[in-house]
């Protein structure tokens, strides 16, 4: 059975979008942890906005990011979109009902990694399709911006591990209860 892992950056006040605020806290420890997340994944599962953002920068970053960039660029990407028509960057677009299509992807043995993609994360969470949530809570409050969780979202979780980076980022892992 496949596995879906969502890895998300957040501020202490729950903001998720445009994580430029995470830059001062990102270090080698978090880089190694992110490399581990990518290494254990067989494919990316992305929403359209995250896919377009990543597709715009990662192909140019391969030289400076080494093996991480090579894998990021070469691995398959499954993208939830209703507006894009021409897949690029090793992507296939999810057709039809997203939850049904992702449930079908999970029948294989792949580990699918979600980065960002709040709309997709919320949709899949409502359908109990995410197997693990790995959240990096950055020690900053920015007071505005899109939260990761949509209003009314309720998910019971069980803590399975955590650690703190030397820059104060709390990395917490949960599975659905």
């Amino acid at each position: 059975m496949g596995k879906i892992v969502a890895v998300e950056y957040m501020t202490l006040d729950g903001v998720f979008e445009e994580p430029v605020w995470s830059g001062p806290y990102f270090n080698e420890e978090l880089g190694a942890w992110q490399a581990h997340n990518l290494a254990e994944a067989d494919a990316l599962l992305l929403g359209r906005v995250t896919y377009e953002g990543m597709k715009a920068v990662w192909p140019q970053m391969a030289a400076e990011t080494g093996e991480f960039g090579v894998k990021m660029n070469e691995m398959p990407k499954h993208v939830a979109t209703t507006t894009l028509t021409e897949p690029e960057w090793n992507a296939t677009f999810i057709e039809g009902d997203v939850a049904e299509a992702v449930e079908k992807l999970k029948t294989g043995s792949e580990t699918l990694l979600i980065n960002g993609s709040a709309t997709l994360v919320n949709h899949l969470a409502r359908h109990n399709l995410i197997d693990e949530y790995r959240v990096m809570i950055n020690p900053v409050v920015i007071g505005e911006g899109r939260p990761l969780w949509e209003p009314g979202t309720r998910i019971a979780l069980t803590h399975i591990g955590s650690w703190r980076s030397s820059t104060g980022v709390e990395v917490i892992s949960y599975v659905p209860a």
Side-chain angles (χ1 to χ4, degrees):
M1 185 76 157
K3 178 178 177 179
I4 297 177
V5 178
V7 177
E8 305 295 341
Y9 290 81
M10 269 184 7
T11 62
L12 185 59
D13 56 340
V15 174
F16 140 91
E17 75 179 338
E18 299 299 326
V20 294
W21 37 259
S22 67
Y25 308 103
F26 196 82
N27 62 8
E28 287 184 24
E29 293 168 288
L30 291 166
W33 182 74
Q34 285 287 41
H36 170 76
N37 290 328
L38 190 66
E40 75 177 16
D42 299 298
L44 292 177
L45 180 57
L46 303 168
R48 180 196 52 84
V49 173
T50 302
Y51 164 73
E52 288 186 307
M54 293 174 90
K55 179 180 67 119
V57 298
W58 276 103
Q60 291 77 38
M61 294 176 55
E64 67 188 74
T65 56
E67 290 178 32
F68 188 95
V70 169
K71 179 154 186 182
M72 180 67 79
N73 286 312
E74 291 181 355
M75 72 189 314
K77 291 133 188 109
H78 303 280
V79 182
T81 179
T82 58
T83 57
L84 299 178
T85 57
E86 297 295 324
E88 302 173 71
W89 195 48
N90 297 322
T92 56
F93 294 156
I94 296 171
E95 296 181 10
D97 183 271
V98 172
E100 286 178 16
V102 170
E103 193 166 18
K104 187 174 179 180
L105 285 172
K106 283 185 68 169
T107 62
S109 61
E110 290 187 327
T111 295
L112 304 172
L113 178 65
I114 304 174
N115 289 119
S117 306
T119 301
L120 179 62
V121 167
N122 278 269
H123 183 73
L124 297 180
R126 284 192 300 276
H127 288 87
N128 300 312
L129 290 170
I130 298 178
D131 299 290
E132 187 174 341
Y133 298 88
R134 299 175 186 168
V135 182
M136 294 168 282
I137 301 174
N138 287 256
V140 62
V141 173
I142 61 172
E144 63 183 1
R146 182 180 180 185
L148 174 59
W149 302 110
E150 295 170 355
T153 300
R154 294 180 187 263
I155 309 167
L157 301 169
T158 299
H159 177 267
I160 61 168
S162 59
W163 61 279
R164 180 182 303 126
S165 77
S166 60
T167 58
V169 175
E170 295 287 340
V171 180
I172 308 170
S173 298
Y174 298 99
V175 295

